[in-house]
């Protein structure tokens, strides 16, 4: 768990694909944002309930954000949306590929303020057309980037050997992430362990050369 001044970040890993599910909880308002209802709705509800400990207010899920449309990131979306009545959001260009209705389309540069939680949307084209990352700028510490499947320790997300898609994703990662954010930014990916931009920056030229 990341215990920040204004909010907490809790996460769990679900499914055979070790998908990461994140919940951000405002300490002052109890408002929660869930990132990627990937699988195992009961485990996600337990995660949300555990986060009640992080606020003196009544915890309430206000928004579910999907980083991209791939099936392994949306398997619990329908159930979580139905039982919590929280609206769902996703990158505009991925909405058509998500079976569960999306209430809020997200665009590059959008800043969504959710009752005490402010997230910037960064569109990263290549893993899917509408993949997004979500940026929380902590006023008292490093930024937190929820990168979905677009950025991992050791490389960018899978582009299935497609040179055009790789070039698009690589260029967005460089210009919209590494050229934009400081090295101490914490990266929270869609699978596996996290990293920092500092830890990955020296490898950018190698990623470009190998093409994945």
């Amino acid at each position: 768990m990341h215990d920040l001044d204004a909010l907490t970040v809790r996460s769990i890993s679900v499914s055979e694909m070790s998908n990461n599910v994140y919940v951000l909880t405002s300490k002052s308002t109890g408002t929660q944002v869930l990132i990627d209802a990937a699988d195992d709705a009961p485990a996600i509800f337990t995660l949300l309930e555990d986060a009640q400990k992080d606020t003196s207010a009544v915890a309430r899920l206000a928004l579910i954000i999907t980083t991209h449309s791939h099936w392994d990131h949306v398997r619990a979306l329908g159930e979580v949306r139905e039982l919590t009545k929280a609206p769902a959001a996703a990158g505009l260009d991925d909405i058509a590929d998500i079976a569960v209705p999306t209430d809020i389309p997200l665009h590059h540069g959008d800043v969504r303020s959710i009752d005490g939680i402010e997230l910037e949307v960064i569109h990263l084209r290549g893993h899917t057309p509408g993949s997004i990352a979500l940026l929380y700028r902590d006023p008292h510490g490093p930024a937190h980037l929820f990168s979905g499947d677009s950025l991992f320790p050791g490389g960018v997300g899978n582009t299935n050997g497609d040179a055009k898609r790789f070039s698009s994703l690589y260029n967005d990662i460089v210009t919209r992430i590494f050229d934009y954010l400081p090295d101490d930014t914490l990266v929270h990916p869609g699978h596996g362990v996290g990293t920092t931009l500092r830890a990955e920056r020296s490898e950018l030229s190698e990623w470009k050369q190998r093409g994945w």
Side-chain angles (χ1 to χ4, degrees):
M1 184 178 80
H2 295 270
D3 187 4
L4 312 181
D5 281 3
L7 57 77
T8 60
V9 180
R10 289 178 179 260
S11 65
I12 54 171
S13 177
V14 298
S15 87
E16 72 283 0
M17 298 184 70
S18 299
N19 293 81
N20 291 327
V21 180
Y22 300 96
V23 61
L24 285 60
T25 303
S26 169
K27 292 182 176 181
S28 61
T29 68
T31 297
Q32 295 177 313
V33 175
L34 184 72
I35 299 174
D36 282 347
D39 197 15
D40 196 346
I44 292 174
F45 291 130
T46 297
L47 175 68
L48 294 169
E49 291 167 3
D50 286 346
Q52 176 65 72
K53 304 169 188 173
D54 304 335
T55 175
S56 58
V58 176
R60 176 186 64 88
L61 182 61
L63 186 63
I64 308 164
I65 304 179
T66 300
T67 60
H68 64 289
S69 60
H70 283 166
W71 65 277
D72 60 307
H73 287 260
V74 297
R75 284 182 280 184
L77 177 59
E79 186 173 354
V80 174
R81 182 176 180 271
E82 175 64 26
L83 291 179
T84 64
K85 306 305 180 186
L92 174 65
D93 294 334
D94 269 15
I95 288 175
D97 294 323
I98 300 173
V100 178
T102 298
D103 306 286
I104 302 170
L106 300 176
H107 308 80
H108 179 66
D110 285 353
V111 177
R112 308 294 305 188
S113 185
I114 310 104
D115 195 18
I117 301 174
E118 192 167 276
L119 295 171
E120 180 179 344
V121 178
I122 302 175
H123 187 191
L124 300 170
R125 300 157 291 189
H127 183 65
T128 65
S131 286
I132 57 171
L134 300 158
L135 177 67
Y136 173 71
R137 295 183 183 272
D138 183 3
H140 307 289
H144 291 254
L145 182 73
F146 301 88
S147 61
D149 282 6
S150 292
L151 177 62
F152 294 99
V156 302
N158 184 14
T159 52
N160 298 106
D162 185 317
K164 184 176 180 180
R165 286 173 56 195
F166 171 78
S167 179
S168 174
L169 180 55
Y170 178 83
N171 288 336
D172 277 358
I173 288 292
V174 171
T175 61
R176 296 183 174 188
I177 301 296
F178 283 92
D179 290 350
Y180 180 56
L181 298 173
D183 275 355
D184 63 354
T185 300
L186 298 171
V187 178
H188 306 286
H191 303 263
V193 299
T195 186
T196 65
L197 295 188
R198 177 179 290 110
E200 308 303 323
R201 187 179 296 275
S202 64
E203 305 299 319
L204 286 173
S205 59
E206 179 184 336
W207 301 354
K208 183 176 183 180
Q209 184 175 13
R210 76 191 186 195
W212 56 274

